[in-house]
Amino acid sequence: MNHTPPSPLCSAEHSQLLVVDIQAKLAVAMDADTRREVYRRAGSLAQGAGVLGIPVTVTEQYPQGIGHTAGEIQGMLPEAVRVLEKTTFSCCRDEGIMGAVKRAERPQVVICGMESHVCVLQTALLLVEAGFQVFVVEDAVCSRDPRNKANALARMARAGVIITNFESVLFEWLADSRHPKFKEILNLIR
């Protein structure tokens, strides 16, 4: 992917959503309040993407050991979601996942998930290297240790990843309060 949109805003036309490893057994290692917020915000992003026709790919790191996507998220995923298993920490090192990202033909990748300093970090950095414009949703990612999350966000920002939040992404996808799906998306924020 060599085409990066010139705008620092994400758009529904150019975006795809990558939900990284929000799995039941991994999630229980996170602070309970943080886990609930990541579920809510990542779920809202997935629902918003579904409403707006934005492709969604969900990854699961070694589900035989860590379990599948948390039930709290599964119920919020659009019907057309692709759930792909991996053993690599970076989604970019898995041919199936990288193929899905490339086939979406959307140069902007919005990322949420777990853990910020491992799979999210490695995926974001390698997507930038591959020529994608990457947005990491800071309030929809987490790590067991908040210091690791802070370090990962700083590293990604220095590498050219745009650090954003879930409300910004949803409003950037809408772009206009006259959008026909405005009220539906607004309900995801409340």
Side-chain angles (χ1 to χ4, degrees):
M1 171 78 31
N2 291 321
H3 175 269
T4 301
S7 175
L9 301 175
C10 51
S11 74
E13 178 186 354
H14 292 113
S15 290
Q16 57 182 299
L17 178 65
L18 186 58
V19 180
V20 178
D21 307 344
I22 303 180
Q23 294 163 257
K25 289 183 183 175
L26 179 58
V28 297
M30 308 300 155
D31 169 76
D33 291 336
T34 301
R35 177 177 63 241
R36 282 190 290 275
E37 285 304 305
V38 168
Y39 284 167
R40 185 177 78 77
R41 291 173 176 152
S44 292
L45 286 167
Q47 287 179 310
V51 166
L52 298 170
I54 295 167
V56 178
T57 301
V58 175
T59 69
E60 295 179 342
Q61 175 72 29
Y62 186 63
Q64 300 84 343
I66 302 177
H68 292 285
T69 301
E72 293 86 343
I73 295 292
Q74 286 181 12
M76 300 172 91
L77 296 173
E79 286 183 30
V81 72
R82 300 165 291 210
V83 179
L84 302 171
E85 297 179 10
K86 66 184 180 66
T87 58
T88 59
F89 297 118
S90 172
C91 294
C92 298
R93 290 193 169 123
D94 182 281
E95 285 183 27
I97 296 169
M98 200 57 187
V101 168
K102 288 177 180 176
R103 278 191 303 280
E105 296 184 352
R106 305 268 183 125
Q108 296 179 330
V109 183
V110 177
I111 302 175
C112 59
M114 299 177 181
E115 284 192 78
S116 309
H117 66 293
V118 184
C119 297
V120 170
L121 171 78
Q122 291 186 31
T123 298
L125 295 180
L126 291 180
L127 283 170
V128 167
E129 187 177 89
F132 288 89
Q133 186 178 32
V134 181
F135 296 80
V136 169
V137 185
E138 64 92 16
D139 55 355
V141 297
C142 63
S143 295
R144 286 164 289 153
D145 184 333
R147 293 172 297 188
N148 290 341
K149 174 183 172 179
N151 174 264
L153 293 173
R155 281 185 68 191
M156 289 184 277
R158 283 192 303 272
V161 173
I162 297 171
I163 307 301
T164 188
N165 62 73
F166 94 106
E167 283 194 26
S168 290
V169 171
L170 291 172
F171 282 112
E172 287 170 31
W173 282 347
L174 285 172
D176 192 318
S177 63
R178 294 172 298 181
H179 192 288
K181 303 289 185 177
F182 175 75
K183 286 185 181 178
E184 204 168 342
I185 297 298
L186 191 59
N187 287 334
L188 298 175
I189 294 168
R190 292 184 175 157

